[in-house]
Amino acid sequence: MQTLLEITDVRASYGRIRALDGVSLSVGVGEIVALVGPNGAGKSSTLNAVTGVLRPASGEVLFRGKSILNQSLESTVRRGIAMVPEGRRVLGSMTVRENLMLGATIRRDRAEVAKDIAQVMERFPILGQRQNEAAGRLSGGEQQMLVISRAMLSRPSLLMVDEPSLGLAPRITDQIYEMMKALRQDGMTILVVEQSAERAFGAADRIFVLNGGKVRLSGPTAQMKAHPQFEAAYFGMMESEASDASDNR
């Protein structure tokens, strides 16, 4: 499988707080890869290191084999990476259609943009029905559909989605994940941050478990689901660490 994104030994901090402590991972073309772990594990920081929002002190980030380390967010978008941040950041006073248009800001093919918007509204009829309404009036699930669709308007090669299920009812979260799986079937590569391991198990091809700014465990989803140390890795107490803690009592 061809590698689309490769992160190698990335270390980064917010001031004196270490966010990433040697993170390495890869995403292959056409995969859904999930980063799972508790709050503060370094999942969102990993995405921010890819987009340039967080500037690593060391390490490397390659996209299509070329370094994008410490480049601007605009530059990463132009290279083909789209980011859906946590929190469904719609522009509430603007219409649904206007929000979608923002996703195509870097494009000049206006006729193709119009076709892409029509396809979004065909895929998600509720967005078409409410295209002239203020985006702030949409439900949480509808807003999540909108921000993912808005990101797709840049025609990315890699879609990164941060905590898509946050604050949503299980039924709505199911719809969002079905949406991402449908995008993958259309050829999209997706890197998703998810706190819920069960959600990741149901959608991802491979899983990386982060805790304390480090990758504690990784592998194909079926392997991770059955791994005897998955929970220990998730909660930051791998067998060797647990043994050390016991020895120090």
Side-chain angles (χ1 to χ4, degrees):
M1 179 184 297
Q2 181 182 358
T3 299
L4 185 63
L5 176 71
E6 187 168 8
I7 299 171
T8 305
D9 198 26
V10 166
R11 301 173 190 274
S13 302
Y14 295 103
R16 295 182 179 180
I17 300 173
R18 177 62 61 88
L20 302 176
D21 192 12
V23 168
S24 296
L25 61 90
S26 64
V27 182
V29 173
E31 281 191 302
I32 295 181
V33 171
L35 308 184
V36 305
N39 284 334
K43 306 184 302 296
S44 297
S45 295
T46 300
L47 301 192
N48 287 338
V50 173
T51 62
V53 172
L54 176 62
R55 293 182 172 264
S58 62
E60 186 59 275
V61 179
L62 301 178
F63 183 66
R64 296 190 184 280
K66 296 182 178 180
S67 178
I68 58 170
L69 190 68
N70 292 331
Q71 294 192 6
S72 67
L73 178 58
E74 180 180 355
S75 177
T76 57
V77 172
R78 290 187 179 280
R79 285 178 177 272
I81 301 173
M83 172 77 167
V84 179
E86 177 186 329
R88 300 185 293 279
R89 298 177 191 175
V90 301
L91 295 178
S93 62
M94 297 178 68
T95 67
V96 169
R97 175 174 282 275
E98 288 169 339
N99 269 267
L100 289 171
M101 289 294 295
L102 287 175
T105 301
I106 66 169
R107 295 171 57 183
R108 296 293 178 264
D109 52 340
R110 296 294 97 180
E112 290 300 310
V113 168
K115 289 181 182 178
D116 287 351
I117 290 177
Q119 288 178 356
V120 165
M121 293 179 178
E122 181 178 348
R123 184 189 290 269
F124 308 111
I126 188 63
L127 298 183
Q129 294 165 18
R130 306 188 68 177
Q131 62 179 295
N132 296 316
E133 294 184 31
R137 297 178 61 184
L138 299 179
S139 69
E142 291 164 355
Q143 289 184 7
Q144 191 65 279
M145 290 180 188
L146 175 58
V147 294
I148 293 175
S149 298
R150 184 177 65 193
M152 293 298 297
L153 260 294
S154 68
R155 286 190 172 178
S157 301
L158 172 65
L159 178 66
M160 301 196 303
V161 188
D162 194 356
E163 297 281 10
S165 63
L166 188 68
L168 297 181
R171 178 179 61 84
I172 304 301
T173 300
D174 288 343
Q175 293 177 5
I176 298 302
Y177 269 90
E178 287 303 316
M179 173 185 184
M180 288 194 289
K181 286 190 281 188
L183 290 172
R184 192 269 299 273
Q185 289 177 354
D186 290 342
M188 181 55 55
T189 303
I190 300 173
L191 176 60
V192 58
V193 160
E194 180 56 75
Q195 191 168 345
S196 168
E198 286 302 318
R199 287 291 176 190
F201 289 153
D205 299 295
R206 289 189 298 129
I207 291 175
F208 289 80
V209 184
L210 271 69
N211 197 305
K214 297 181 179 181
V215 174
R216 304 290 179 172
L217 206 63
S218 65
T221 298
Q223 178 182 323
M224 291 297 95
K225 193 172 183 179
H227 200 291
Q229 290 203 69
F230 182 86
E231 288 191 10
Y234 185 102
F235 292 108
M237 286 291 287
M238 293 292 287
E239 190 172 272
S240 60
E241 295 170 314
S243 177
D244 290 342
S246 177
D247 292 343
N248 290 330
R249 285 177 185 170

